[in-house]
Amino acid sequence: MLVTGNDILIPARAGQYGVGSFNTNNMEITQAIIHTAERLRSPVMVQMSEGAIKYGGQDLANIVIDLAKRATVPVALHLDHGSSYESALKAIKMGFTSVMIDASHHGFEDNVKETKRVVEAAHAMGISVESELGRLGGIEEHIVVDEKDAFLTDPEEAVQFIEQTGTDYLAIAIGTSHGAFKGKGRPYIDHARIEKIASLTGIPLVAHGSSGVPQEIVERFRAAGGQIGEAAGIADEDLQRATQFGIAKVNVDTDLRLASTVGIREALTANPKEFDPRKIFGPARDVMSQVIEHKMRVLGSVGKA
Ligand code: G3H
Ligand code: 13P
Ligand code: ZN
């Protein structure tokens, strides 16, 4: 069933588990996400960035909405990194049930102002809202505390921000970053900060940049001719602990990008004479499903729907 973000994330926060919010850009990705969620009885969020909307538009949104409506588990369609009030409103008109307004690059006051505007409009239409406070980016473990504080979300500010905006869930900067290169070795994630923010606030918290960049997938990517440097993601144990401390929405894009490309590369290499797209995109869908299943097990959302 198609539900709002709040319908999925409030129980997750209360139950101390995480729900994956996976980026989609086509039918196969959407199927992998929603069909895996159904198989594992897991709630799930499917998100489209502004880039995905530019690429797939209403056609892609309709694929997600149709699969979500027919699904036997709760599914929300979420706007990832909405850059303006207009963008959030456009997504709501397209049928999204959850939107992010990302005004985190502005100062605190302007972030509050822009977020509040979106919250008021979205709530009037029954849609829930994610916003962001702090600056996302890889943080090296050895950086001194003062410097970390300049980037990562300040717990007291988070309390003020939530009070002043009425946001439904909040993305916090805790050391994670987007992409396949999140730091050397085991990327840093500030669990104490999550715990502190969760203890002062009641709403679901969101972690962006939460791909695990599984080394097995990276090795398969290389073996199939792909070129990639020293890739590293968030360790499974670190993400699991984050959900126990209050992270309820967990954003994943990079892992599916890698998985789909592995499936395509392996299929093309194994069968050089093949030109039936189903024999190429089908394997990509299968590898994505395996990666999604692993993530849902790590997050503890399996069996919650
Ligand atoms: O956080 C960004 C997501 O990975 C979406 O990326 O804007 O290239 O679609 P995109
Ligand atoms: P990853 O690059 O770690 O998959 O993060 C995706 C994300 O945060 C989308 O908003
Ligand atoms: Zn993000």
Side-chain angles (χ1 to χ4, degrees), residues 172-188:
I172 53 175
I174 46 172
T176 60
S177 58
H178 292 120
F181 310 96
K182 300 192 194 297
K184 291 215 180 321
R186 185 166 170 164
Y188 173 79

Side-chain angles (χ1 to χ4, degrees), residues 23 25 47 49-52 80-81 178 208 251 253-254 257:
N23 287 76
N25 290 290
Q47 53 188 18
S49 66
E50 289 175 353
D80 188 26
H81 291 284
H178 292 120
H208 282 247
N251 284 15
D253 186 5
T254 298
R257 293 182 180 204

Side-chain angles (χ1 to χ4, degrees), residues 155-228:
E156 304 295 339
E157 266 192 12
V159 174
Q160 299 298 319
F161 188 82
I162 293 165
E163 264 177 31
Q164 291 178 30
T165 59
T167 190
D168 295 294
Y169 20 103
L170 182 69
I172 53 175
I174 46 172
T176 60
S177 58
H178 292 120
F181 310 96
K182 300 192 194 297
K184 291 215 180 321
R186 185 166 170 164
Y188 173 79
I189 170 166
D190 193 338
H191 288 105
R193 189 173 299 264
I194 303 170
E195 200 172 14
K196 175 86 185 162
I197 295 172
S199 73
L200 297 173
T201 62
I203 65 172
L205 301 173
V206 182
H208 282 247
S210 298
S211 276
V213 190
Q215 287 310 297
E216 182 250 349
I217 292 289
V218 172
E219 286 312 321
R220 281 170 67 181
F221 180 78
R222 288 198 185 104
Q227 296 179 355
I228 189 165

Side-chain angles (χ1 to χ4, degrees), residues 6-83:
N6 264 347
D7 291 331
I8 289 176
L9 297 175
I10 290 174
R13 173 79 167 86
Q16 292 175 293
Y17 60 90
V19 174
S21 194
F22 298 95
N23 287 76
T24 191
N25 290 290
N26 67 19
M27 181 191 77
E28 283 80 2
I29 304 173
T30 310
Q31 287 177 317
I33 298 166
I34 296 180
H35 290 161
T36 304
E38 289 195 272
R39 183 162 57 80
L40 300 177
R41 308 303 310 157
S42 170
V44 77
M45 294 181 71
V46 180
Q47 53 188 18
M48 285 170 64
S49 66
E50 289 175 353
I53 291 177
K54 198 168 168 208
Y55 180 74
Q58 189 72 58
D59 302 343
L60 179 56
N62 284 356
I63 289 176
V64 181
I65 291 166
D66 180 57
L67 261 86
K69 283 184 174 163
R70 289 188 289 113
T72 54
V73 295
V75 182
L77 173 56
H78 174 79
L79 172 68
D80 188 26
H81 291 284
S83 61

